[in-house]
């Protein structure tokens, strides 16, 4: 059994746990298109109901009212200001991105000294000073902190705060200074460095970071492997993902529910359903309590795997939670829609309508997607009108779903009009890389392929290519079908497929053989 982390390291340990939980949330995000700030607000709803909570008083302070008034009312009622209350409040303020309030709170603690400040208190003060006033002010503060507390924890948090600002060069300089002083560098520092270098143009530097990590004798945390796994999963690289997982097991780092969430979702997206099922089983066995984010992932997975009974079982578990979030309703509606259980999706829609105020486009999109996937374009159109009446504007996702519904109903002109309207709207790279967007786009390409509409199939195929979704064989096979139906032989298709990172299978070669019949003599 591992020893309990000493108090000086506990701040870093808490951050590691927080990082792991956030990764589970990111898996859910890859399957949905709801903005992160809306998810964040819904994630913390249950905690707002806790009575006699110092953090709640601070959060509800009117703008401009000093944080001291919350402390005064707290102490007037006979409650002491304990370190635990402060740290709980800080974590909640961080989740809510109320960085200014968090800084005011730590300044009050250092000034009024309700208890003797320790290294973690100064660490939080430094973190929020940099977040609010920049690195230069943080460096000045660092010099003013008592020498006894200018230790390993404070240096690590200084480096992390610099990395959060994207200032890599200065962070590396502080890391050099830490080595000179004999301070250990936290794995969280390396985690941040990996994340900052995870973009396609900078990914080549990640092996160097891992080598430096080894040279500094820093053991990778489970969250380090999760970051590396997510990087591979996000670019649809199953081989790369499994290599990281093998490295994780070789390093004797025990996988947890987050690990299995990443593995299961990646294989489900790749339509490797048998493998996905294996990891779903491991996920359920590794679950510790009813974590809402893990339950959301299971809802998505059982929808992908068409496991209706398991989907109902997980949904029943979600309903037992103190507060069922709107996001969970949205995911459940979409999951039932995937397995063609339209009436069940409608039941949940009506339930969400009665329990939650329908105020987000994403809520309407969930039911519109169900109707469009299952051929109920009239119902989808009716919901679009209701959506506008309730003040929700359709976005690019709405129009992409409607385009699919129109094409399925053979309303070709309306389908192209919906596609055009969606393309005129600004859509983030995150949305265009999300699983629902990619799967809906592929469904439209499949309709074009059946009609032999090569030009439009190729146009949408380019979207999938930008998101690396074309690495999957079934995506390329859909494009080849368009050429076969159009009776066009393109000798470059196989070469394109291999260079694009997809592996031809038996279906590929059968389709290409058919296409050869249309070769010009």
């Amino acid at each position: 059994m591992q020893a309990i982390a000493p108090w000086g390291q506990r701040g870093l340990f808490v951050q590691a746990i927080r990082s792991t939980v956030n990764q589970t949330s990111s898996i859910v995000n890859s399957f949905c298109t709801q903005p992160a700030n809306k998810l964040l607000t819904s994630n913390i709803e249950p905690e707002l109901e806790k009575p006699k909570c110092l953090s709640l008083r601070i959060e509800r302070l009117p703008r401009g009212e000093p944080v001291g008034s919350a402390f005064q009312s707290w102490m007037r009622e006979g409650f002491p200001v304990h370190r635990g209350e402060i740290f709980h409040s800080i974590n909640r303020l961080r989740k809510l991105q109320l960085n200014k309030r968090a800084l005011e709170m730590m300044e009050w603690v250092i000034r009024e000294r309700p208890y003797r400040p320790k290294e973690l208190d100064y660490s939080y003060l430094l973190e929020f000073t940099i977040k609010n006033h920049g690195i230069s002010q943080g460096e000045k503060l660092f010099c003013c902190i008592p020498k006894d507390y200018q230790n390993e924890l404070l240096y690590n948090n200084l480096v992390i705060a610099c990395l959060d600002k994207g200032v890599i060069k200065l962070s590396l300089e502080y890391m050099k200074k830490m080595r000179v002083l004999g301070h250990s560098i936290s794995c969280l520092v390396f985690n941040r460095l990996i994340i900052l270098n995870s973009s396609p143009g900078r990914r080549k530097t990640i092996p160097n970071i891992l080598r430096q990590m080894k040279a500094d004798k820093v053991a990778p945390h489970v969250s380090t492997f999760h970051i590396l796994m997510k990087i591979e999963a996000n670019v649809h690289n199953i081989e790369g993902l499994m290599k990281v997982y093998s490295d994780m097991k070789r390093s004797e780092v025990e996988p947890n529910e987050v690990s299995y969430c990443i593995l299961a979702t990646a294989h489900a997206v790749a339509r490797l359903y048998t493998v996905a099922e294996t990891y779903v089983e491991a996920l359920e066995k590794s679950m510790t309590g009813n974590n809402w984010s893990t339950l959301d992932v299971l809802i998505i997975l059982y929808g992908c795997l068409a496991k209706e009974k398991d989907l109902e079982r997980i949904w029943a578990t979600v309903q037992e939670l103190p507060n069922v979030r709107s996001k969970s309703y949205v995911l459940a509606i979409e999951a039932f829609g995937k397995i063609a259980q339209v009436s069940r999706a409608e039941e949940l829609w009506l339930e969400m309508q009665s329990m939650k105020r329908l105020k987000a486009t994403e809520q309407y999109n969930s039911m519109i997607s169900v109707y469009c996937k299952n051929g109920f374009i009239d119902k989808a159109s009716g919901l679009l009108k209701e959506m506008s009446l309730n003040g929700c504007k359709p976005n690019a996702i709405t129009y992409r779903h409607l385009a699919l519904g129109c094409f399925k109903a053979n309303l070709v002109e309306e389908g192209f009009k919906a596609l055009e309207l969606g393309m005129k709207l600004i859509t983030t790279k995150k949305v265009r890389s999300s699983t629902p967007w990619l799967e809906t786009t592929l469904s439209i390409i499949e309709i074009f392929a059946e009609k032999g509409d090569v030009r439009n199939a190729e146009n949408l195929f380019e979207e999938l290519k930008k998101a690396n979704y074309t690495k999957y064989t079934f995506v390329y096979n859909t494009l080849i079908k368009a050429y076969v139906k159009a009776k066009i032989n393109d000798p470059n298709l196989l070469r394109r497929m291999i260079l694009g990172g997809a592996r031809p299978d038996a279906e590929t070669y059968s389709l290409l053989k058919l296409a050869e019949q249309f070769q010009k003599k």
Side-chain angles (χ1 to χ4, degrees):
M1 184 182 288
Q2 292 181 341
I4 295 173
W7 180 254
Q9 297 296 321
R10 197 163 294 173
L12 294 172
F13 177 73
V14 168
Q15 288 181 48
I17 297 299
R18 188 186 309 123
S19 156
T20 303
V21 172
N22 287 342
Q23 286 160 25
T24 317
S25 304
S26 74
I27 298 162
V28 179
N29 293 347
S30 71
F31 270 93
C32 66
T33 46
Q34 187 167 351
N37 61 334
K38 290 185 181 178
L39 277 172
L40 192 60
T41 306
S42 59
N43 292 353
I44 56 172
E45 284 173 1
E47 290 190 53
L48 293 178
E49 295 174 7
K50 290 185 178 179
K52 303 296 182 184
C53 183
L54 176 60
S55 64
L56 183 56
R57 297 185 188 210
I58 293 169
E59 290 161 30
R60 290 185 175 176
L61 280 175
R63 187 179 292 231
E65 189 169 336
V67 77
S69 60
F71 283 108
Q72 286 165 9
S73 69
W74 178 258
M75 291 185 289
R76 267 199 307 269
E77 292 178 26
F79 297 112
V81 178
H82 290 305
R83 183 176 272 110
E85 284 284 352
I86 295 297
F87 294 165
H88 173 258
S89 301
I90 282 291
N91 285 332
R92 281 189 48 80
L93 291 170
R94 187 190 282 111
K95 280 181 187 178
L96 290 164
Q97 298 179 6
L98 296 173
N99 295 327
K100 189 176 179 183
R101 277 293 187 209
L103 176 59
E104 288 173 11
M105 184 174 174
M106 290 317 302
E107 286 174 341
W108 186 91
V109 168
I110 299 298
R111 185 176 64 250
E112 302 296 334
R113 293 180 174 263
Y115 55 82
R116 186 181 175 187
K118 291 191 176 180
E119 54 195 355
L120 197 53
D121 299 280
Y122 286 110
S123 170
Y124 286 145
L125 179 65
L126 178 65
E127 174 192 342
F128 290 104
T129 298
I130 292 174
K131 280 181 176 177
N132 284 283
H133 302 300
I135 293 170
S136 59
Q137 287 297 317
E139 288 177 311
K140 288 177 186 175
L141 172 65
F142 187 91
C143 297
C144 299
I145 291 171
K147 292 289 182 185
D148 290 347
Y149 299 123
Q150 291 183 17
N151 56 13
E152 189 174 297
L153 175 64
L154 209 66
Y155 268 101
N156 272 305
N157 278 2
L158 175 61
V159 173
I160 288 170
C162 291
L163 288 172
D164 283 344
K165 291 284 186 181
V167 185
I168 296 176
K169 190 175 179 182
L170 181 62
S171 303
L172 294 175
E173 287 174 10
Y174 276 119
M175 288 169 74
K176 284 181 185 176
K177 189 174 180 181
M178 287 177 72
R179 293 183 189 107
V180 171
L181 294 170
H183 293 323
S184 296
I185 300 172
S186 165
C187 69
L188 299 177
V189 169
F190 288 100
N191 285 0
R192 293 292 203 289
L193 277 171
I194 292 167
I195 291 167
L196 283 173
N197 288 279
S198 62
S199 61
R202 301 177 70 169
R203 279 186 63 191
K204 289 180 181 178
T205 61
I206 290 177
N208 296 334
I209 296 168
L210 294 173
R211 278 192 287 273
Q212 185 60 57
M213 196 174 184
K214 190 174 181 180
D216 287 330
K217 297 179 180 178
V218 179
H221 186 265
V222 66
S223 61
T224 310
F225 287 107
H226 290 162
I227 292 164
L228 294 169
M229 287 165 73
K230 275 297 292 174
I231 289 169
E232 299 298 340
N234 287 345
V235 294
H236 306 284
N237 185 358
I238 295 293
E239 285 185 10
L241 168 64
M242 295 313 294
K243 183 183 180 299
V244 175
Y245 183 56
S246 297
D247 292 342
M248 180 181 178
K249 290 196 289 187
R250 197 162 41 248
S251 302
E252 297 183 351
V253 175
E254 195 68 29
N256 58 22
E257 61 188 284
V258 179
S259 318
Y260 294 123
C261 279
I262 297 168
L263 290 164
T265 51
H267 283 87
V269 171
R271 297 190 182 180
L272 300 169
Y273 297 127
T274 305
V275 182
E277 278 186 48
T278 304
Y279 288 122
V280 170
E281 287 173 15
L283 167 58
E284 291 232 41
K285 287 175 185 175
S286 66
M287 281 178 69
T288 51
N290 289 330
N291 183 338
W292 64 262
S293 52
T294 304
L295 291 170
D296 278 354
V297 172
L298 284 169
I299 287 170
I300 295 164
L301 287 168
Y302 283 128
C304 289
L305 298 172
K307 299 271 189 180
E308 187 181 346
K309 286 182 180 178
D310 289 306
L311 180 54
E312 287 285 9
R313 175 173 57 83
I314 295 300
W315 180 244
T317 305
V318 170
Q319 287 184 305
E320 289 172 5
L321 296 176
N323 181 69
V324 183
R325 303 170 314 118
S326 292
K327 187 70 224 170
S328 297
Y329 272 105
V330 165
L331 293 173
I333 288 166
E334 290 173 351
F336 280 108
K338 272 196 170 186
I339 58 176
Q341 293 295 319
V342 178
S343 58
R344 185 70 176 103
E346 285 176 327
E347 285 174 19
L348 293 182
W349 168 255
L350 292 171
E351 195 177 310
M352 180 170 70
Q353 230 176 356
S354 63
M355 296 178 69
K356 310 279 179 183
R357 187 165 158 251
L358 296 180
K359 55 186 177 181
T361 300
E362 288 72 23
Q363 291 170 316
Y364 283 97
N365 281 351
S366 65
M367 200 62 224
I368 288 172
S369 74
V370 172
Y371 285 143
C372 291
K373 279 176 187 172
N374 291 281
F376 296 97
I377 190 63
D378 289 340
K379 287 189 174 184
S381 300
L383 209 53
L384 181 69
K385 290 174 186 174
E386 183 188 318
M387 179 181 176
S388 300
L389 289 171
N390 284 347
C392 293
K393 289 185 178 179
N395 56 20
I397 305 149
T398 317
Y399 288 119
R400 187 57 56 106
H401 288 314
L402 288 168
L404 174 61
C406 289
F407 287 126
K408 273 182 174 282
N410 207 28
L411 300 170
V412 179
E413 191 179 332
E414 291 85 346
F416 281 116
K417 188 177 179 182
L419 266 182
E420 189 182 343
L421 285 169
M423 286 175 176
K424 285 179 181 177
L425 298 174
I426 296 169
T427 313
T428 63
K429 186 181 177 183
K430 183 180 176 181
V431 168
R432 289 184 179 273
S433 301
S434 67
T435 304
W437 179 275
L438 297 172
E439 288 182 346
T440 304
T441 303
L442 180 61
S443 295
I444 296 172
I445 294 173
E446 285 170 351
I447 293 169
F448 290 152
E450 283 297 320
K451 293 179 178 180
D453 189 346
V454 173
R455 185 171 65 86
N456 284 308
E458 283 279 16
N459 286 342
L460 286 182
F461 188 81
E462 281 303 308
E463 275 192 29
L464 304 186
K465 192 176 179 181
K466 287 174 185 175
N468 285 306
Y469 196 59
T470 53
K471 281 189 175 182
Y472 299 130
T473 306
F474 61 85
V475 178
Y476 253 101
N477 284 351
T478 303
L479 180 66
I480 297 170
K481 281 177 193 173
Y483 279 86
V484 171
K485 288 283 185 177
K487 298 183 179 181
I488 298 171
N489 178 47
D490 184 346
N492 292 319
L493 278 173
L494 183 61
R495 184 170 177 270
R496 271 178 69 186
M497 184 176 186
I498 294 167
L499 291 175
R503 288 183 176 180
D505 61 6
E507 186 185 9
T508 311
Y509 289 114
S510 297
L511 288 166
L512 291 170
K513 197 75 177 170
L514 274 173
E516 284 174 9
Q517 297 174 16
F518 312 119
Q519 190 169 343
K520 290 182 181 179
K521 294 180 181 179

